[in-house]
Amino acid sequence: MGSLENGVLLKKDQHHSHNIGRVSSFSKQQRPRSRFPRFLLSKRIGYLQWISTIVVFSLFLVFFQAFLPGSVVERPGNSRKTLDLVGEDLMYLNRIIKELDFGEDVRFEPTRLSSKFQKEAAEVNSSSGFKRGIRFGHRKPKLALVFADLGVDPYQILMATVGTALQEIGYTIEVFSSEDGPAHTVWQHIGVPVTTIEIKDHCRSNVDWLNYDGILLNSLEGKEILSCFMQEPFKSLPLVWTIHEDRLATRLNQYTVNGTVEILNDWKKSFSRATVVVFPNYALPMIYSKFDTGNYLVVPGSPTEAWEADSLMSFNQEQVYAKMGFAADDFVIAVVGSQFMYKGLWLEQALILQALKPLLTEFLPDDRSDSGFKLIILTGDSEGNYTKAVEAISTSLDYPKGIVKHVDRDASADDVLGIANLVIYGSFLEEQSFPDILIKSMCYEKLIIAPNLSMIQKYVDDRVNGYLFPKEDIKVLTAIVSQVVSRGRLSPLAHNVASIGKETAKNLKSMEAVEGYASLLENILKLPSEVAVPKSASEIPSKYKNEWRWNILKMIPDAKYRSRNLKDRSDQPRGTWEDVYRSSRRADHMKNDLHERDDGELERTGQPLCIYEPYFGEGTWPFLHHKPLYRGIGLASRGRRRGTDDVDASSRLSLLSNPYYRDALGEFGAFFAIANRVDRVHKNAWIGFQSWRATARKKVLSKTAEKALLKAIETGEHGDTFYFWVRLDSDPRNPMNKDFWSFCDAVNAGNCRSAFSDAFKKMYGIKQDWDSLPPMPMDGDTWSVMHSWSLPTRSFLEYVMFARMFVDALDAQMYEEHHRSGHCYLSLTKDKHCYSRVLELLINVWAYHSARHMVYIDPETGKMQEQHGLQNRRGHMWLKFFSLRTLKSMDEELAEEADSEQTKRHWLWPKTGEIFWQGSCKRSYQSLVSTLKGVYFSLYYSSSKEAASLLPHVPFKFHPANTS
């Protein structure tokens, strides 16, 4: 992709069509090619090249002057020509213009992102696997709008406008910010909850971002919060990063020159983390091309220009006039143009200057250069040699010295637009969206005159809110100027047009922005089956998208524009995550890690219960406990807490080293890891598990509830009991309080019953035409969710025995399709956590039908209430399927099969834990005897009988003569 780093001009890239942010090159075979070389200027163009360009341009103008019938400003002694002569002067130029290329091939095309959206849409519409899922829509999709702070700025207006529209079409929105501010009031007025988050070490915030279907992050300053989403388990969340600032781009070259590669790499990682990086115009993705990984998109529209113009209207114009060397009563025309520097730009500006020469007769009655007429070319930058080019052009066109001046657009745009009487858009480049510089000009209530380019005509109604002229007929511009300028001032009609233009620009492109964000979310959000699909972008009512939410400013007293400066902490080289990890690891090695683990084990010795908290990634650390009652279990070695005695699940069960099963099983994998040779890690009579997500939802056991649970365990109050403290009927996924199987269907694309039935039949060898399910009655009581429960360790092992067989049967029907394509019929889209939602509810089926007491503990008060009383279950329980005797028999059959067969088929069960059956004891014994025989035999013949007599006694007779 062509780069605009530090304002560097774009170069065509015809070889990287796969890039999303690229400069497209379209051949125009239907029209004559320009006789000028097709090249794009660079701001670092050499001085000699500039001299050559100026000389060629001067000769070019001399050539035209030699053949043109006259000039507007004659030499001394000649009579002054009328305005009509200008049309004759420009006739030849007009014919040349039609053959010139004015940069139409400078375009940003999101090719990769568009292809991705099309591919994913096709996958959703096509059948995935042998069963199609259905959507239930029990809750609205949730979005998190994240800000660096809640100061009053254009980001707040933009997102308040977009957020209000999104709420109207079916989204639920919450706002998060690392700093509070006056905009807090705005969101409260809209009805949006606001949370101030604390960003701790490497963004370990106290927010469970998995509660949200998508994240909208705003501004470059949001980079610090972005690091939260670069950690597991939040790395795969859809994230839209909106960037309006260009200041980082202007510093890229400085970072490169200074050798601060770490900063560049850090920013590149941040840009690559976003699902989509959204820019409000087509120039920004090009100047940030260094960081483009194929995730750039333009959603045109922002209130920034109108906001800035409104806030700067009261600035001291006298100081600006003085700084530029102008008088307060000068008539100033600003010639603005595209942000891109391209080959035809200098010629376009020459044509504009040529068309404006008749004004010299209005302001320059004699040959004096101190007239009240000033022309400012607002383009390029002050570091290059463009000023020399402008001087050469104006001299060649016989403009008196001091009238035409080149000004750096980036540094002085607001100053120039503030004092300008008239703004002319002097670029003929066919832009992809309405130029921001024109929006700001109109917001300053300046009359604009622009070529009738398609994107300009879309918003400018000729002679209503601005003036248009055809780029092929430059003499029309001269005629327009002669109409709007009278006696050195703008005409009353021109002022009226400018006033209407200001009202137009104030809300210009708000519709594109609102619909753009809504359409983007339609493309990137992968909504679970229990979530309702919002209305489409086209269904947003007009009143929510036709104007920005300027009214929010009235809610905030003394709301003033606050310019954003890149904070120093964003520029500090912190290194990669790997560097940070290694540093923390070195620090931890200074501690007696083994001693800490020993202390943890000693603290748990003698207590009746240990509650394990499964986790995956650093993002979960803030939700884990540090008390002896709890112990973490890391599902992956990477991302484990250092200096703790957390269990490494993958080292206890090699299956969890496989990313596929680690994701598919989710927290359920921790059960298999602990149960595998359980005595080596767990020596307590009772065992419990608690999801870190329950902690995030404040559904964890309080100290009072912990004491109540321990007391019930010690006294045996309820016997062999399944205690749980997170209820199904209060789950956010179940707002309609559906029964057990209906809820399971809702979160599994309507296929929970089918998947459970198929697995159950395979597990027990039941005929295929059998379609019954274990009854889970809706009797007014509730069920457990979110893996937060406790039960006796021996009962836990019995449950794992059942669960291993069930998961194996579930895997047998889903593995092939899911592993191959990423699709499983328990989800509407590709889902790496395919099995996890069915398994989350599995323990309820086992506990209910194995005749366990089921007791709910209020996590706050510790009050206990039995659910689904045993007396009421009589006649409903399938005891023959869930009895320990049945399960042990099935388990032994599988163990014997695994021990006796060397099968090559995909079989999960042997990988989920120990393989044990009675025959394996006999085989182990026989293997030991054979080994000892071999040792005895070897020693007997290799040494004396006395040496052999020293061997331990074995229960068999040894006959040297019988070698068999």
Side-chain angles (χ1 to χ4, degrees):
M1 163 178 172
S3 172
L4 274 182
E5 175 188 352
N6 275 355
V8 178
L9 311 179
L10 289 173
K11 298 180 180 179
K12 287 183 292 186
D13 184 354
Q14 299 177 347
H15 306 290
H16 296 82
S17 60
H18 62 281
N19 283 352
I20 168 181
R22 70 184 185 93
V23 183
S24 302
S25 180
F26 301 100
S27 61
K28 308 250 187 331
Q29 299 178 355
Q30 68 274 20
R31 66 173 186 173
R33 300 291 289 174
S34 169
R35 54 177 138 174
F36 293 93
R38 297 176 60 81
F39 67 95
L40 299 172
L41 297 176
S42 169
K43 78 181 256 185
R44 299 194 178 277
I45 193 167
Y47 179 78
L48 291 177
Q49 187 176 351
W50 264 111
I51 293 298
S52 300
T53 302
I54 295 171
V55 170
V56 170
F57 177 73
S58 300
L59 293 174
F60 175 79
L61 290 177
V62 169
F63 172 80
F64 278 113
Q65 290 292 338
F67 290 92
L68 290 176
S71 176
V72 174
V73 180
E74 297 292 336
R75 302 296 187 272
N78 294 340
S79 61
R80 191 165 47 194
K81 300 286 186 179
T82 63
L83 289 176
D84 292 337
L85 287 179
V86 176
E88 300 175 11
D89 291 348
L90 297 179
M91 286 176 61
Y92 187 79
L93 283 178
N94 287 335
R95 291 198 298 271
I96 296 298
I97 289 174
K98 297 177 182 180
E99 299 182 6
L100 294 179
D101 180 355
F102 292 100
E104 288 90 341
D105 54 357
V106 181
R107 298 181 65 83
F108 168 79
E109 295 291 341
T111 52
R112 186 185 299 179
L113 203 58
S114 298
S115 299
K116 178 183 177 183
F117 291 162
Q118 293 173 2
K119 180 180 178 181
E120 291 176 348
E123 289 178 348
V124 171
N125 295 329
S126 64
S127 176
S128 60
F130 50 91
K131 295 181 181 178
R132 290 185 66 91
I134 58 175
R135 186 176 297 280
F136 290 81
H138 292 332
R139 70 168 177 88
K140 295 180 178 180
K142 293 182 66 176
L143 299 176
L145 270 59
V146 183
F147 300 90
D149 58 66
L150 292 178
V152 183
D153 58 29
Y155 278 108
Q156 299 293 334
I157 297 176
L158 170 65
M159 284 299 135
T161 306
V162 172
T164 303
L166 293 177
Q167 283 183 314
E168 186 64 23
I169 60 175
Y171 288 92
T172 297
I173 293 176
E174 295 183 23
V175 166
F176 295 88
S177 175
S178 56
E179 295 180 19
D180 204 354
H184 191 133
T185 305
V186 173
W187 294 108
Q188 284 185 326
H189 179 79
I190 299 174
V192 175
V194 179
T195 303
T196 303
I197 56 177
E198 181 181 359
I199 306 300
K200 300 179 181 179
D201 297 339
H202 307 301
C203 195
R204 295 171 190 163
S205 68
N206 55 352
V207 180
D208 177 9
W209 300 109
L210 295 182
N211 287 330
Y212 303 92
D213 300 297
I215 312 294
L216 275 70
L217 179 67
N218 294 274
S219 85
L220 283 173
E221 290 185 8
K223 175 178 176 290
E224 185 176 7
I225 305 177
L226 180 70
S227 59
C228 297
F229 306 104
M230 300 177 74
Q231 305 170 2
E232 292 289 1
F234 309 127
K235 291 179 69 172
S236 59
L237 273 173
L239 185 145
V240 176
W241 192 10
T242 301
I243 296 177
H244 292 181
E245 308 94 328
D246 62 358
R247 60 177 178 269
L248 173 63
T250 63
R251 304 175 74 165
L252 294 181
N253 192 62
Q254 176 186 342
Y255 293 151
T256 303
V257 172
N258 295 341
T260 50
V261 180
E262 289 183 358
I263 294 180
L264 290 173
N265 291 338
D266 191 45
W267 276 106
K268 189 168 185 177
K269 284 188 177 181
S270 297
F271 272 79
S272 64
R273 164 57 186 94
T275 309
V276 180
V277 179
V278 174
F279 300 97
N281 59 55
Y282 289 92
L284 284 173
M286 298 185 188
I287 64 178
Y288 282 112
S289 62
K290 181 183 288 289
F291 300 142
D292 184 13
T293 58
N295 59 348
Y296 283 7
L297 187 72
V298 173
V299 176
S302 167
T304 301
E305 287 74 26
W307 169 274
E308 292 179 350
D310 184 66
S311 63
L312 297 174
M313 285 291 285
S314 60
F315 72 103
N316 191 339
Q317 292 186 344
E318 293 182 0
Q319 294 180 357
V320 178
Y321 280 111
K323 182 172 66 175
M324 294 190 174
F326 297 165
D329 58 349
D330 282 347
F331 187 87
V332 179
I333 296 179
V335 179
V336 301
S338 173
Q339 286 183 269
F340 307 117
M341 298 283 285
Y342 52 92
K343 177 260 301 182
L345 182 60
W346 61 271
L347 178 58
E348 294 167 0
Q349 293 175 351
L351 294 171
I352 298 296
L353 291 177
Q354 179 76 0
L356 296 178
K357 282 181 66 176
L359 283 178
L360 293 176
T361 62
E362 179 81 21
F363 294 94
L364 195 63
D366 50 36
D367 201 28
R368 294 181 297 107
S369 62
D370 57 344
S371 69
F373 175 45
K374 303 296 180 183
L375 256 171
I376 300 178
I377 306 297
L378 189 64
T379 188
D381 56 71
S382 58
E383 295 180 5
N385 293 298
Y386 204 84
T387 299
K388 295 182 176 64
V390 170
E391 291 174 354
I393 294 172
S394 61
T395 301
S396 300
L397 290 173
D398 292 330
Y399 271 89
K401 187 176 182 180
I403 289 183
V404 180
K405 183 175 183 179
H406 169 248
V407 174
D408 184 345
R409 168 175 170 155
D410 294 334
S412 305
D414 288 306
D415 289 345
V416 171
L417 295 180
I419 64 173
N421 301 93
L422 174 65
V423 176
I424 297 176
Y425 192 72
S427 173
F428 299 162
L429 172 65
E430 193 65 73
E431 299 273 3
Q432 291 177 268
S433 65
F434 193 83
D436 292 343
I437 193 73
L438 276 187
I439 297 178
K440 182 170 286 189
S441 301
M442 296 168 74
C443 290
Y444 272 115
E445 204 168 345
K446 307 301 179 181
L447 178 68
I448 64 165
I449 304 175
N452 59 350
L453 305 174
S454 60
M455 288 308 299
I456 294 180
Q457 288 187 89
K458 183 177 179 180
Y459 301 96
V460 176
D461 190 357
D462 190 24
R463 301 177 184 273
V464 176
N465 56 1
Y467 285 84
L468 300 175
F469 65 90
K471 70 177 183 179
E472 298 84 5
D473 193 1
I474 201 71
K475 66 179 182 293
V476 176
L477 172 59
T478 305
I480 293 173
V481 173
S482 67
Q483 294 173 17
V484 300
V485 178
S486 176
R487 297 181 181 180
R489 293 291 178 265
L490 286 179
S491 67
L493 176 61
H495 281 292
N496 185 54
V497 171
S499 179
I500 297 174
K502 180 179 180 180
E503 292 302 313
T504 302
K506 187 175 182 180
N507 295 300
L508 196 137
K509 293 197 283 192
S510 62
M511 179 182 293
E512 285 87 339
V514 172
E515 291 184 346
Y517 277 95
S519 298
L520 173 60
L521 291 173
E522 289 176 13
N523 282 308
I524 69 171
L525 296 187
K526 306 297 183 288
L527 300 177
S529 56
E530 75 272 14
V531 178
V533 175
K535 297 178 183 178
S536 66
S538 60
E539 296 180 85
I540 300 175
S542 298
K543 66 178 181 179
Y544 293 104
K545 60 184 179 182
N546 284 345
E547 60 183 30
W548 303 112
R549 292 295 301 270
W550 297 112
N551 61 319
I552 68 175
L553 298 178
K554 300 177 182 178
M555 308 172 196
I556 305 173
D558 302 325
K560 297 180 180 179
Y561 175 73
R562 180 178 59 82
S563 62
R564 292 180 175 273
N565 298 315
L566 195 55
K567 295 181 179 179
D568 291 339
R569 64 173 180 268
S570 299
D571 287 344
Q572 297 301 320
R574 293 183 293 273
T576 64
W577 285 109
E578 290 77 10
D579 295 334
V580 174
Y581 178 78
R582 284 195 294 269
S583 298
S584 63
R585 188 176 182 181
R586 284 194 296 268
D588 284 334
H589 276 318
M590 298 176 65
K591 302 177 181 179
N592 189 341
D593 201 20
L594 291 176
H595 178 67
E596 290 183 3
R597 293 187 177 185
D598 291 342
D599 287 347
E601 293 178 0
L602 288 173
E603 288 175 341
R604 294 183 180 90
T605 301
Q607 68 182 27
L609 169 68
C610 178
I611 299 177
Y612 295 90
E613 295 183 304
Y615 67 91
F616 179 56
E618 294 185 31
T620 62
W621 290 2
F623 307 101
L624 304 178
H625 288 79
H626 296 271
K627 298 189 293 185
L629 182 61
Y630 300 89
R631 188 176 188 183
I633 173 168
L635 296 176
S637 296
R638 187 170 183 176
R640 283 178 54 211
R641 294 185 297 176
R642 305 296 301 177
T644 66
D645 66 335
D646 291 355
V647 179
D648 182 3
S650 59
S651 66
R652 291 197 50 77
L653 189 68
S654 60
L655 176 69
L656 298 179
S657 298
N658 183 334
Y660 172 82
Y661 281 109
R662 185 171 60 229
D663 292 333
L665 297 175
E667 294 182 357
F668 203 89
F671 306 161
F672 292 159
I674 294 295
N676 188 36
R677 296 176 173 84
V678 64
D679 292 332
R680 298 184 181 183
V681 66
H682 179 78
K683 299 178 175 62
N684 308 84
W686 282 65
I687 191 171
F689 290 87
Q690 180 167 271
S691 173
W692 64 268
R693 302 196 66 192
T695 308
R697 294 184 187 179
K698 296 180 171 52
K699 297 292 184 180
V700 293
L701 297 173
S702 64
K703 291 183 178 180
T704 302
E706 290 173 355
K707 292 179 180 178
L709 175 60
L710 291 173
K711 180 180 179 182
I713 289 173
E714 290 171 347
T715 60
E717 181 178 349
H718 301 97
D720 189 352
T721 305
F722 169 69
Y723 293 101
F724 66 97
W725 48 91
V726 183
R727 304 170 61 105
L728 174 62
D729 54 6
S730 62
D731 193 290
R733 298 168 293 177
N734 190 28
M736 303 178 70
N737 194 20
K738 293 289 184 178
D739 65 90
F740 180 87
W741 288 117
S742 296
F743 170 78
C744 190
D745 269 341
V747 298
N748 288 283
N751 288 315
C752 170
R753 299 179 210 236
S754 174
F756 194 97
S757 177
D758 291 344
F760 203 76
K761 286 185 287 187
K762 179 176 177 57
M763 178 179 172
Y764 288 96
I766 302 174
K767 295 180 179 179
Q768 288 300 316
D769 57 356
W770 189 75
D771 58 358
S772 297
L773 282 172
M776 304 293 285
M778 193 172 185
D779 53 8
D781 290 342
T782 190
W783 308 95
S784 169
V785 291
M786 210 173 285
H787 300 306
S788 298
W789 44 259
S790 176
L791 74 170
T793 299
R794 66 178 184 277
S795 298
F796 166 70
L797 296 176
E798 182 180 335
Y799 169 57
V800 170
M801 184 186 299
F802 165 78
R804 288 178 62 191
M805 292 183 282
F806 180 86
V807 172
D808 175 63
L810 190 70
D811 180 73
Q813 59 177 309
M814 295 191 182
Y815 173 81
E816 184 176 350
E817 172 70 17
H818 186 222
H819 187 263
R820 179 183 60 81
S821 67
H823 288 281
C824 76
Y825 64 81
L826 296 177
S827 177
L828 297 175
T829 59
K830 287 185 177 181
D831 182 10
K832 62 182 181 180
H833 304 294
C834 177
Y835 309 166
S836 61
R837 292 175 300 277
V838 169
L839 299 181
E840 179 185 352
L841 301 172
L842 182 64
I843 195 168
N844 294 282
V845 181
W846 171 83
Y848 183 92
H849 290 281
S850 63
R852 258 72 182 184
H853 289 282
M854 304 179 73
V855 176
Y856 168 72
I857 308 174
D858 186 300
E860 184 63 30
T861 65
K863 182 180 179 180
M864 299 185 182
Q865 183 179 8
E866 185 166 4
Q867 307 291 306
H868 317 289
L870 285 175
Q871 294 297 327
N872 298 330
R873 287 193 232 171
R874 295 187 182 277
H876 297 285
M877 294 183 293
W878 288 12
L879 292 174
K880 64 179 181 179
F881 288 101
F882 292 86
S883 69
L884 177 59
R885 181 177 180 179
T886 301
L887 296 178
K888 286 185 68 175
S889 175
M890 294 168 62
D891 185 78
E892 289 182 358
E893 288 179 3
L894 291 172
E896 183 177 4
E897 180 183 357
D899 189 59
S900 61
E901 294 185 9
Q902 297 297 324
T903 179
K904 295 183 179 180
R905 65 182 173 90
H906 174 78
W907 188 16
L908 179 62
W909 184 86
K911 302 175 184 178
T912 55
E914 295 178 84
I915 300 175
F916 177 83
W917 64 293
Q918 291 183 353
S920 63
C921 291
K922 296 179 181 178
R923 288 192 176 186
S924 298
Y925 180 77
Q926 291 172 354
S927 175
L928 175 62
V929 169
S930 298
T931 302
L932 290 176
K933 278 185 177 181
V935 172
Y936 221 106
F937 182 82
S938 177
L939 289 175
Y940 185 87
Y941 284 101
S942 63
S943 61
S944 64
K945 293 183 179 180
E946 289 77 10
S949 66
L950 296 177
L951 291 172
H953 174 72
V954 293
F956 62 86
K957 295 181 179 180
F958 183 75
H959 299 285
N962 187 359
T963 57
S964 62

